[in-house]
């Protein structure tokens, strides 16, 4: 069986469960022996999962050691599946079998201290190694096209196994199903880029430009960042808004049950508990697909796909239609006389019901905006339900809500108007000027990267109608701001960014939007090499020239943060004239040096 078949088949015949969400993933796994898992997955599939687990759990190991341990566990599983009665080894929980296998190996990096502990502390110790190993491995480099195709034609299956191992060790927290999905994309990329047996396809280098891992990895890092920084309550609120929008016909109890299960899954995944993460994810998908009549008619096609492809399909499927007759308002949460008593008794559950009811009515709002609306409602109740508060206090909530909605929509419309007027390059320059002043401590490469990602959001979202603009723009922008905040966590940027990244997840985007020039920043000193011009400015490749000009723009703003638009215009005009003059010269380098 080849790797492509393995990846398609993986997990298709996995654990059979009742049509309700799990009690806990450990409850389920302890009742499923290694022999049963082996029979459900088949040998090649079981071995692929084992390879991922060992690659993720042993930072600094080698492919040879991981593959040998995977072979050993697979051999045990094969024996257990074939035996008429289970031996004690076959009855151990799967996670204990995997950790015992690691601890039987000699001289594995950093594992001795963990192996000296008893479960569950041993497992926690190995998970902490995953945390300390982030950044341990160098990024997976894009292969040399010709060499990759030559190796693929000679060693196709082992190369895909090598790819799975390398991705797994570089991304110790990435979902195993996501890794297998990426491996499938890798297999397809190799076949498409390398062409037929007669020879490789044209434009091989272009073909290999695909970023296979980025999107899945970024989204998982983002979710884990929210959980780590803002806690389970915030993550649950975000998932409640998103699931309520996706399944507006589902009742609150069903949606709330899903939210709790999804949050528990992310806790396992973000801890690096690969087995628990997979079990939870599988359970949720089975529950969703067995509850289509309650949730949505639009997920039927997704549920007919192989399990590996179901999750992404459900995430990307259009929100279901709102129930007929659902009013756009939720005035009962303000006008009912007993609202303060209900809030006092139910607290978070009452707030969750409000967020559910408001989210299912407004698919045109972003999840982050819905969280801001939910926070506004909570603040309103805390203020207006105090003893002695005037009876009219709650009535101002609707006006404040209208004001916030108008402000958010205005910001997005204005940004899109600028994008449509200026186009990609000049819109990115506007962003560069703004973000270099807000965050001058970032490198030129970082500023260009982040603003490039924001510009891509403009090209993707600004062409959409008003009903899709906000969810598209703010939710994609949230990913970029999450990257910036994780960068700040690793290496602090400045107090303003610290405040915005720490105080509130829902208000992070408006907070960063309102940042102005960082007054604590000490501008760059003018040195002879600060504005060095070279012959590369005469390149005819527009993309390289634009990148070089953007680097110089960032340097100028770091040197003179308070530069006025008029001064910047004069500098730009002088630079353009100098470049045209020097690039006409026989020796541009000498001309630039003179200038």
């Amino acid at each position: 069986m080849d790797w492509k078949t393995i990846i398609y088949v993986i997990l298709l015949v996995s654990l059979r469960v009742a049509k309700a969400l799990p009690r806990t993933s450990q409850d389920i796994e302890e009742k499923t022996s290694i022999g049963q898992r082996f029979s459900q997955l088949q040998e090649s599939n079981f071995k692929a999962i084992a390879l991922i687990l060992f690659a993720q759990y042993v930072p600094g190991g080698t492919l040879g050691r991981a593959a040998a341990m995977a072979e050993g566990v697979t051999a045990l599983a094969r024996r257990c599946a074939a035996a008429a009665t289970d031996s004690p080894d076959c009855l151990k929980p799967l996670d204990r079998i995997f950790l015992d296998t690691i601890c039987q190996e000699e001289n594995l990096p950093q594992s001795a201290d963990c192996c000296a502990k008893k479960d569950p502390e041993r497992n926690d110790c190995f998970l902490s190694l995953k945390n300390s190993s982030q950044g341990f491995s160098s990024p997976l480099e894009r292969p040399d096209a010709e060499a990759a195709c030559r190796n693929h034609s000679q060693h196709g299956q082992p190369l895909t196994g090598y790819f799975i191992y390398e991705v797994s060790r570089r991304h110790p927290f990435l979902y195993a199903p996501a890794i297998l999905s990426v491996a499938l994309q890798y297999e397809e990329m190799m076949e498409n880029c390398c062409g037929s047996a007669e020879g490789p396809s044209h434009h091989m280098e272009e073909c290999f430009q695909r970023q296979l891992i980025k999107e899945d990895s970024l989204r998982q890092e983002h979710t884990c960042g929210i959980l780590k920084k803002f806690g389970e309550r915030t993550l649950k609120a975000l998932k409640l808004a998103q699931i309520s929008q996706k399944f507006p016909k589902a009742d609150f109890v069903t949606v709330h049950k899903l939210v709790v299960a999804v949050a528990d899954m992310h806790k396992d995944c973000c801890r690096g508990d690969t087995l628990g993460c997979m079990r939870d994810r599988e359970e949720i998908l089975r529950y969703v697909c067995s509850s289509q009549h309650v949730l949505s008619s639009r997920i039927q096609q997704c549920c007919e796909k192989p399990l590996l492809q179901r999750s992404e399909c459900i995430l990307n499927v259009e929100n279901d239609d709102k129930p007929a007759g659902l009013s756009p308002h939720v005035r009962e949460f303000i006008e009912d006389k007993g609202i303060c008593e209900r809030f006092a008794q139910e607290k978070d559950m009452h707030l969750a019901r409000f967020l559910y009811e408001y989210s299912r009515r407004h698919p045109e709002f972003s999840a982050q905006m819905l969280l801001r609306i939910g926070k506004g409602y909570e603040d309103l109740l805390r203020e207006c339900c105090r003893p002695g508060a005037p009876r009219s206090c709650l009535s101002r909530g609707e006006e404040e809500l209208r004001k916030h909605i108008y402000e958010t929509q205005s910001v997005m419309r204005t940004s899109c108007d600028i994008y449509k007027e200026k186009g990609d390059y000049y819109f990115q320059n506007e962003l560069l000027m703004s973000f270099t002043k807000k965050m001058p401590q970032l490198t030129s490469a970082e500023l260009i990267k982040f603003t490039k990602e924001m510009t891509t959001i403009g090209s993707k979202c600004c062409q959409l109608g008003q009903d899709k603009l906000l969810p598209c723009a703010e939710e994609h922008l949230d990913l970029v701001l999450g990257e910036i905040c994780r960068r700040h966590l690793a290496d602090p940027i400045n107090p303003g960014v610290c405040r915005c990244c720490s105080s509130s997840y829902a208000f992070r985007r408006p907070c960063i939007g309102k940042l102005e020039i960082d007054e604590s920043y000490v501008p760059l000193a003018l040195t002879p090499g600060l504005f060095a011009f070279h012959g590369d400015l005469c390149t005819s490749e527009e993309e390289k020239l634009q990148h070089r000009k953007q680097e110089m723009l960032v340097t100028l703003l770091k040197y003179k943060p308070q530069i006025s638009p008029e001064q910047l215009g004069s500098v730009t005009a002088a630079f353009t004239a100098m470049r045209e003059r020097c690039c006409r010269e026989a020796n541009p380098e000498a001309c630039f040096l003179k200038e």
Side-chain angles (χ1 to χ4, degrees):
M1 186 184 289
D2 65 17
W3 274 102
K4 191 169 183 178
T5 309
I6 291 167
I7 295 162
Y8 268 125
V9 171
I10 203 102
L11 299 177
L12 292 186
V13 283
S14 200
L15 187 62
R16 303 293 175 202
V17 295
K19 291 185 178 181
L21 285 170
R23 288 71 62 199
T24 70
S25 57
Q26 274 73 18
D27 289 343
I28 293 160
E29 194 58 57
E30 282 170 10
K31 294 176 183 176
T32 308
S33 70
I34 189 172
Q36 289 172 310
R37 260 311 200 192
F38 179 87
S39 298
Q40 290 160 353
L41 292 172
Q42 301 302 308
E43 180 164 337
S44 297
N45 304 336
F46 186 94
K47 195 183 296 182
I49 296 291
L51 181 62
I52 291 172
L53 282 164
F54 289 125
Q56 290 186 326
Y57 269 76
V58 187
T62 64
L63 173 58
R65 298 290 288 274
M69 287 188 284
E71 288 283 357
V73 166
T74 304
L76 171 65
R78 190 189 306 116
R79 289 196 302 274
C80 293
T85 56
D86 285 330
S87 69
D89 281 347
C90 297
L91 293 173
K92 285 184 187 176
L94 263 179
D95 49 2
R96 195 180 305 166
I97 289 173
F98 278 100
L99 294 182
D100 285 350
T101 302
I102 292 171
C103 290
Q104 285 161 11
E105 289 284 307
E106 294 182 1
N107 303 318
L108 279 179
Q110 306 177 63
S111 64
D113 289 344
C114 295
C115 291
K117 301 179 186 294
K118 293 183 178 179
D119 289 320
E121 288 77 15
R122 179 175 66 162
N123 189 50
D124 291 337
C125 181
F126 274 104
L127 295 181
S128 71
L129 287 184
K130 281 191 177 190
N131 281 298
S132 65
S133 72
Q134 287 200 296
F136 174 86
S137 303
S138 59
L140 189 60
E141 293 181 6
R142 186 180 293 117
D144 172 74
E146 287 192 24
C149 287
R150 191 165 52 249
N151 286 337
H152 179 68
S153 66
Q154 295 168 3
H155 316 285
Q157 289 180 36
L159 270 186
T160 306
Y162 171 77
F163 178 83
I164 288 175
Y165 169 77
E166 289 295 336
V167 169
S168 301
R169 76 185 186 91
R170 284 173 166 80
H171 299 275
F173 288 86
L174 189 57
Y175 305 138
I179 292 172
L180 294 169
S181 178
V182 169
L184 175 60
Q185 294 173 47
Y186 169 81
E187 184 72 23
E188 289 173 348
M189 182 183 78
M190 296 302 295
E191 288 179 8
N192 294 335
C193 297
C194 297
S196 63
E198 286 76 41
S201 63
H202 296 300
H203 311 298
M204 243 199 307
E205 291 294 345
E206 270 179 49
C207 188
F208 274 87
Q209 296 294 310
R210 287 179 60 194
Q211 295 288 326
L212 293 176
I213 200 76
K214 183 161 177 64
E215 185 82 10
D216 279 329
S217 179
L218 179 61
R219 285 193 178 279
Q220 188 173 345
E221 271 190 84
H222 184 72
T223 303
C224 294
I226 294 169
L227 182 61
K228 182 178 179 181
K229 188 67 186 174
F230 301 104
E232 187 178 345
R233 185 175 186 262
T234 297
L235 181 63
K236 282 183 174 177
L238 176 64
K239 294 304 166 187
L240 176 59
Q242 291 170 336
I243 293 170
S244 301
Q245 285 184 309
K246 180 74 71 179
F247 305 132
K249 291 175 183 169
D251 60 85
F252 175 72
V253 172
T254 301
V255 169
H256 186 258
K257 192 189 293 184
L258 259 179
V259 166
V260 171
V262 169
D264 285 345
M265 177 192 76
H266 284 302
K267 283 195 291 186
D268 275 346
C269 298
C270 296
R271 284 178 70 234
D273 185 352
T274 307
L275 278 170
C277 176
M278 285 180 60
R279 290 188 295 256
D280 297 343
R281 182 186 177 108
E282 181 182 336
E283 287 297 304
I284 291 166
L285 287 172
R286 289 194 178 281
Y287 175 75
V288 167
C289 289
S290 67
S291 307
Q292 293 178 56
H293 61 291
V294 177
L295 296 172
S296 170
S297 59
R298 294 192 174 171
I299 59 175
Q300 182 178 346
Q301 270 191 318
C302 298
C303 291
E304 290 168 355
K305 290 179 178 290
L307 193 61
L308 187 61
Q309 300 165 44
R310 254 180 239 177
S311 181
E312 186 179 359
C313 180
I314 291 170
L315 284 174
N316 293 328
V317 80
E318 287 281 322
N319 294 340
D320 202 357
D321 296 326
K322 291 184 284 187
L326 194 66
S327 72
H329 306 292
V330 287
R331 290 201 175 97
E332 65 272 20
F333 283 89
I334 289 177
E335 295 175 355
D336 281 8
K337 289 183 179 178
I339 208 73
C340 287
E341 289 82 0
R342 205 171 306 144
F343 176 57
Q345 290 167 4
E346 298 181 4
K347 291 289 194 301
D348 278 4
M349 193 57 74
H350 176 75
L351 297 173
R353 286 183 184 276
F354 170 81
L355 184 57
Y356 157 77
E357 291 291 355
Y358 207 87
S359 300
R360 67 200 285 249
R361 285 164 165 79
H362 293 285
E364 76 278 13
F365 292 164
S366 66
Q368 292 73 27
M369 181 176 172
L370 289 165
L371 294 197
R372 292 194 291 274
I373 290 169
K375 183 66 170 71
Y377 178 65
E378 180 182 1
D379 291 346
L380 186 73
L381 289 181
R382 292 194 184 283
E383 182 182 343
C384 297
C385 292
R386 288 178 306 167
R391 295 188 66 181
S392 60
C393 181
L394 284 167
S395 62
R396 64 182 171 79
E398 204 160 348
E399 179 57 36
E400 289 179 5
L401 176 59
R402 274 197 296 269
K403 182 182 174 186
H404 175 68
I405 292 170
Y406 174 78
E407 285 175 354
T408 303
Q409 290 175 331
S410 295
V411 167
M412 293 301 170
R413 271 198 301 268
T414 301
S415 296
C416 281
D417 288 344
I418 296 170
Y419 173 78
K420 288 172 183 174
E421 177 194 342
K422 293 183 176 290
D424 284 1
Y425 175 63
Y426 290 104
F427 181 73
Q428 187 184 356
N429 286 353
E430 293 286 332
L431 291 172
L432 266 178
M433 287 187 277
S434 172
F435 275 81
T436 303
K437 290 177 181 181
K438 296 173 195 284
M439 309 173 190
Q441 295 83 359
L442 292 178
T443 65
S444 296
E446 288 172 325
L447 286 161
I448 291 170
K449 172 184 176 288
F450 291 136
T451 55
K452 177 73 171 174
E453 289 173 359
M454 293 176 197
T455 303
T456 302
I457 295 168
S459 68
K460 180 174 184 175
C461 302
C462 290
Q463 59 182 317
L464 301 175
Q466 286 301 311
D467 60 329
K468 301 275 178 68
L469 173 59
L470 260 181
C472 178
E474 187 158 20
E475 292 188 21
H476 280 90
L477 186 57
D478 189 49
L479 290 174
V480 182
L481 299 183
E483 280 190 275
I484 291 173
C485 288
R486 289 194 297 278
R487 157 64 174 83
H488 168 76
L489 200 62
D491 183 9
I493 298 172
N494 61 46
V497 175
C498 181
R499 185 180 71 254
C500 292
C501 288
S502 304
S503 55
S504 164
Y505 166 70
F507 286 88
R508 184 162 67 181
R509 197 270 307 154
C511 181
I512 289 177
K514 289 174 184 172
L515 289 178
E516 295 182 350
I517 292 176
D518 177 20
E519 300 292 348
S520 68
Y521 176 69
V522 178
L524 295 178
L526 183 60
T527 58
L530 188 63
F531 294 103
F533 306 122
H534 298 287
D536 60 352
L537 287 172
C538 296
T539 178
S540 58
E541 294 182 47
E542 190 62 24
E543 195 172 326
K544 285 185 178 178
L545 177 61
Q546 288 178 349
H547 185 82
R548 185 73 184 90
K549 285 156 77 172
Q550 287 176 334
E551 287 177 327
M552 289 189 289
L553 174 62
V554 170
T555 302
L556 175 62
L557 291 166
K558 289 185 175 190
Y559 164 63
K560 208 149 183 78
Q562 303 281 358
I563 191 169
S564 68
E566 294 77 22
Q567 288 173 318
L568 184 59
S570 298
V571 171
T572 303
F575 168 79
T576 303
M578 175 197 71
R579 179 182 172 273
E580 288 177 357
R581 186 167 58 254
C582 288
C583 290
R584 286 196 299 264
E585 296 282 335
N587 187 350
E589 193 75 31
C591 177
F592 283 127
L593 186 61
K594 179 182 174 184
E595 292 288 343

